[in-house]
Amino acid sequence: MKILSHFMTPLRVMLIIILFSGVTFAQWDNPNVDRIPERYMKPFIPKLFVPMTVVTIDDYDNFDMGVDYSEGHISISPINPLQIFNAWNINGTHYSTDGGLTWNISNPSFPNAAGDPVTAFDSLGNLYYETMKSPITACWVAKSTTFGSTWAFTNTSATTGNDKNWIAANICGGPYTNYIYTIMTNSSGGGATVARSTDLGVTFTNTQTLSPHALPGAMVCVGPNGSISGGSVFAVTHSGSNALGTYTFFHSTDGGLTFTQKSQVQWSNVIGTEISSRSTVSGMRTRPYPMISCDNSFGPYRGRLYCVYASNEPAGSGNKSDIFLRYSTDFGATWSARVTVNDDANTVNNYQFFPAIWSDKYQSKLYIKWYDTRNCPTSDSMDVYATYTTNGGTSFAPNQRITNKIFKIKLSSSGSAPAYQGDYDAICSNPKVSMPLWADFRNNNYNSYCAYFPDYAMRMNPTSSGINSVNGVKDFFMVVPAVKLYTDTVLVTSAITPTPGSGSFTISYPSTGGNKLTHYPDSLRVRVTANNVTPGTYTMTVTAKGPNGTPVHQRTVTITASTTSGVIENNTPYSFKLEQNYPNPFNPVTRIDYSLAKITDVKITVYNLLGREITSFFREKQNPGSYYVMFNAANLSTGVYYYTIQAGDFMDKKTMILMK
């Protein structure tokens, strides 16, 4: 017993989680409550992670920001389109100051957190990040004046309830400029409680509890009231049953102080198959949340209120779901006929679910994203799709596939149905493009992903070459082989590193359009001239951006400068190698570097001394180059571990020491 008690340490916690990860969430799941499963609230198991990885497949980029636990939300600063913030379960955050090209982590220190993160910027660029308290009685709101890199405060208490919350900010001007609104499910009280802040998030005051509301899914948004910008606050509640939901719409004209019921409708039914009073697709739970947004632009559809939701068509458990949109032009009192958003050829054959919407403030453009199984005949795998409407919801642009790889809907470790997948995600936009984000299961875990929409593909040709170091000239081509509804300009810049010890490189763009592309598919020439440079290996980074800095993509080219005259194509200077982790010994995080000589799948796995797998990292079709992953062993005990790499035919193993 003494030996056993010696190991009842953080390692014991990890083993318990592993051993009992098959215990099903369904055994204690409350269908009227949408919460992250309890096992994900425990200390997280050790994992290999990369702070942010660009995953390029078929020349399109998806951005992998690591493993969190679904339910991501995203906001873009209205004063700078390059400043983006997103948050995931539980208190996993990322911020970007370069339009999404690179991401950093800056988690606020909440006193406690229970998940369901939602975010908003006000018109001054202040960021608000809300998460439920633990135990769940209300919400915390954190505020950042630096776009998420630091936090002004992290413990403002907002609204009350015991489940799912939402937040919105008035960025539109008017008498209620920068008021912050939040709503939260209060199942025990039979309603959804609205709170507002009139002092930039310093304090929140509950204003009204809206009912009926029994199912999670209450949402709030801001719109105009005629000529009064920000003069309308809208809220929707969700009641009834999973098989026949009731949406009740409310309207406020006094800055969220009081609300009037405008309409009550029954539009939604089961999504997929009902199991234990929950909608499921391929065994993973999904909820028919009503998603609302209002047109705040000064375009022809100003003030139009939109509601998007998923529901089976035809109605009934066991059928397949579509995404539907309706709109109101009288503050939610009456609604248009539904319009089907997804444009697959035969909608009864596929599932579409998990919609998220965003109405752009600067133009009458409503973005919509969702999960979609149209590329999987067996309907057990899915992609993310998106579209937009510019005519007030009458019709939609051709649906675009956002993910660059299809993935299974159900994780192998998720347990029996109805298993947790998360219950929402998000999309947000700047004046040019939107950025949807989603939980992505392509690596059989809860990866956090985002991308641009509309977007363009990017390719360099060739990707490596030799050049005469004395007076050599080499032309590369930046190619946009395809687009996803992208029609704007692409601007190209390039830089070569490291700086030569002597001499210099000159980069020019001798194509007709110089460094700009305006029609697609097309390409432009990137000419490199070597002026007596030191022989060696150099990297040219080519960056492509839209007019406001988004979308932004990068590709690299390897240039080998030598005194011999020939141009050596495809001369990759990399070799397969697994480096010793650093630091070593470590506590609790260490870095593992590796390099690849050719395009190949990569798997890095960490084991304990008994040969039991602790965690693994997988990346499909990585390009030649040098990479690294970070290993966080916070919940492991002091000891010796080893790690392996498998990259095509190359395999290697090294030992590392965790010392606490």
Side-chain angles (χ1 to χ4, degrees):
M1 293 300 293
K2 289 183 179 180
I3 296 177
L4 287 176
S5 64
H6 175 73
F7 286 96
M8 303 304 270
T9 60
L11 177 60
R12 178 191 64 173
V13 176
M14 181 196 74
L15 291 175
I16 290 174
I17 293 172
I18 293 173
L19 290 172
F20 291 93
S21 61
V23 176
T24 65
F25 173 50
Q27 291 175 348
W28 55 270
D29 179 31
N30 181 348
N32 292 328
V33 175
D34 284 350
R35 296 178 184 169
I36 187 170
E38 184 69 19
R39 67 176 180 271
Y40 297 135
M41 299 289 290
K42 302 294 185 183
F44 296 153
I45 63 175
K47 64 180 181 180
L48 285 161
F49 65 96
V50 179
M52 196 283 294
T53 302
V54 180
V55 180
T56 305
I57 300 176
D58 295 330
D59 301 315
Y60 281 105
D61 292 343
N62 285 175
F63 300 97
D64 178 0
M65 290 170 287
V67 177
D68 293 295
Y69 290 90
S70 295
E71 300 187 352
H73 198 259
I74 187 169
S75 290
I76 300 174
S77 170
I79 65 174
N80 187 336
L82 303 183
Q83 292 162 340
I84 311 170
F85 180 84
N86 61 61
W88 305 76
N89 271 332
I90 302 167
N91 196 22
T93 68
H94 309 85
Y95 71 93
S96 175
T97 57
D98 57 11
L101 184 63
T102 60
W103 297 85
N104 299 287
I105 297 173
S106 177
N107 298 336
S109 299
F110 291 114
N112 47 65
D116 281 6
V118 284
T119 65
F121 277 101
D122 67 19
S123 68
L124 302 174
N126 296 312
L127 170 68
Y128 303 91
Y129 164 29
E130 181 180 78
T131 185
M132 296 191 301
K133 295 182 178 181
S134 178
I136 303 174
T137 57
C139 290
W140 296 117
V141 173
K143 177 182 176 180
S144 174
T145 60
T146 57
F147 317 109
S149 61
T150 59
W151 298 94
F153 54 76
T154 60
N155 59 351
T156 295
S157 185
T159 190
T160 54
N162 65 351
D163 199 17
K164 189 69 202 83
N165 52 300
W166 207 264
I167 197 170
N170 176 14
I171 62 173
C172 305
Y176 310 110
T177 301
N178 297 323
Y179 279 24
I180 314 300
Y181 306 101
T182 179
I183 191 169
M184 188 178 188
T185 297
N186 192 344
S187 298
S188 58
T193 302
V194 178
R196 71 175 187 176
S197 173
T198 62
D199 55 9
L200 302 180
V202 176
T203 60
F204 282 81
T205 302
N206 288 353
T207 59
Q208 189 172 340
T209 296
L210 307 178
S211 61
H213 181 68
L215 301 174
M219 193 174 183
V220 63
C221 71
V222 176
N225 181 13
S227 61
I228 304 174
S229 294
S232 291
V233 182
F234 297 98
V236 59
T237 60
H238 190 193
S239 58
S241 67
N242 179 73
L244 186 62
T246 297
Y247 302 158
T248 305
F249 296 91
F250 299 86
H251 181 223
S252 172
T253 59
D254 56 8
L257 185 62
T258 61
F259 287 82
T260 301
Q261 181 177 319
K262 303 296 289 186
S263 62
Q264 190 172 83
V265 299
Q266 289 184 322
W267 296 334
S268 68
N269 70 96
V270 178
I271 300 173
T273 301
E274 188 170 49
I275 300 175
S276 302
S277 298
R278 278 197 184 271
S279 289
T280 65
V281 175
S282 192
M284 299 295 276
R285 84 186 197 199
T286 180
R287 175 76 78 182
Y289 283 175
M291 309 296 289
I292 60 172
S293 188
C294 191
D295 189 329
N296 286 285
S297 74
F298 288 91
Y301 307 105
R302 176 177 168 83
R304 183 164 290 196
L305 178 65
Y306 297 100
C307 181
V308 173
Y309 59 97
S311 194
N312 275 2
E313 179 59 35
S317 178
N319 296 320
K320 292 184 169 66
S321 54
D322 291 313
I323 307 296
F324 300 107
L325 176 142
R326 299 176 189 257
Y327 62 83
S328 174
T329 58
D330 54 10
F331 305 106
T334 61
W335 292 85
S336 70
R338 75 181 191 187
V339 180
T340 305
V341 176
N342 46 287
D343 64 4
D344 44 328
N346 192 342
T347 62
V348 299
N349 288 345
N350 309 310
Y351 294 102
Q352 284 84 24
F353 58 105
F354 250 58
I357 62 174
W358 180 263
S359 187
D360 187 75
K361 173 180 179 289
Y362 306 96
Q363 52 189 328
S364 288
K365 194 172 190 179
L366 179 76
Y367 291 97
I368 309 172
K369 68 136 292 284
W370 65 92
Y371 283 138
D372 198 307
T373 68
R374 71 179 70 182
N375 297 321
C376 180
T378 57
S379 291
D380 66 346
S381 299
M382 62 186 179
D383 284 294
V384 172
Y385 270 74
T387 186
Y388 57 77
T389 176
T390 56
N391 57 18
T394 304
S395 62
F396 302 92
N399 295 178
Q400 301 295 305
R401 182 184 183 224
I402 305 302
T403 37
N404 55 20
K405 182 181 179 181
I406 195 170
F407 53 90
K408 292 287 187 182
I409 297 174
K410 192 174 188 299
L411 281 77
S412 60
S413 60
S414 60
S416 61
Y420 173 77
Q421 182 176 44
D423 299 295
Y424 66 94
D425 50 25
I427 187 171
C428 194
S429 74
N430 63 45
K432 291 292 186 179
V433 296
S434 73
M435 179 166 274
L437 84 169
W438 65 94
D440 193 298
F441 311 137
R442 68 182 69 183
N443 296 323
N444 198 33
N445 55 22
Y446 289 95
N447 273 96
S448 305
Y449 269 70
C450 65
Y452 297 105
F453 169 67
D455 200 7
Y456 54 88
M458 181 182 180
R459 178 192 305 164
M460 290 302 299
N461 184 29
T463 58
S464 61
S465 178
I467 192 171
N468 188 289
S469 61
V470 178
N471 57 2
V473 178
K474 174 61 184 177
D475 284 346
F476 299 87
F477 289 88
M478 181 276 184
V479 184
V480 174
V483 295
K484 297 177 181 178
L485 303 185
Y486 189 82
T487 60
D488 221 321
T489 302
V490 172
L491 305 172
V492 176
T493 58
S494 307
I496 295 177
T497 56
T499 301
S502 62
S504 64
F505 286 104
T506 302
I507 301 174
S508 60
Y509 304 92
S511 300
T512 302
N515 72 330
K516 298 180 182 179
L517 289 177
T518 57
H519 300 88
Y520 312 100
D522 204 350
S523 63
L524 60 81
R525 192 183 305 265
V526 183
R527 176 167 292 172
V528 177
T529 303
N531 307 296
N532 294 306
V533 300
T534 305
T537 300
Y538 298 87
T539 298
M540 180 170 67
T541 300
V542 180
T543 304
K545 297 181 179 180
N548 71 348
T550 63
V552 55
H553 300 291
Q554 282 186 342
R555 299 292 184 264
T556 58
V557 170
T558 301
I559 300 174
T560 303
S562 66
T563 55
T564 57
S565 254
V567 173
I568 306 168
E569 302 289 352
N570 300 317
N571 177 24
T572 304
Y574 299 103
S575 61
F576 286 106
K577 191 172 184 180
L578 178 65
E579 304 286 355
Q580 184 65 52
N581 65 298
Y582 180 83
N584 188 43
F586 68 98
N587 178 30
V589 178
T590 189
R591 171 170 164 158
I592 300 171
D593 287 82
Y594 63 95
S595 58
L596 307 175
K598 63 181 181 179
I599 297 176
T600 185
D601 296 346
V602 178
K603 184 176 182 181
I604 296 177
T605 308
V606 176
Y607 300 89
N608 64 16
L609 278 179
L610 299 178
R612 177 176 294 172
E613 180 178 323
I614 301 297
T615 187
S616 65
F617 168 90
F618 178 79
R619 182 67 70 230
E620 185 178 54
K621 295 182 179 178
Q622 275 198 310
N623 288 321
S626 297
Y627 303 92
Y628 71 92
V629 296
M630 305 296 291
F631 176 52
N632 188 339
N635 293 327
L636 290 179
S637 298
T638 294
V640 177
Y641 299 83
Y642 66 92
Y643 58 98
T644 65
I645 184 172
Q646 182 169 353
D649 295 330
F650 174 73
M651 292 182 288
D652 198 2
K653 178 176 74 172
K654 292 188 181 297
T655 300
M656 58 183 170
I657 300 173
L658 172 62
M659 186 172 293
K660 293 187 174 181

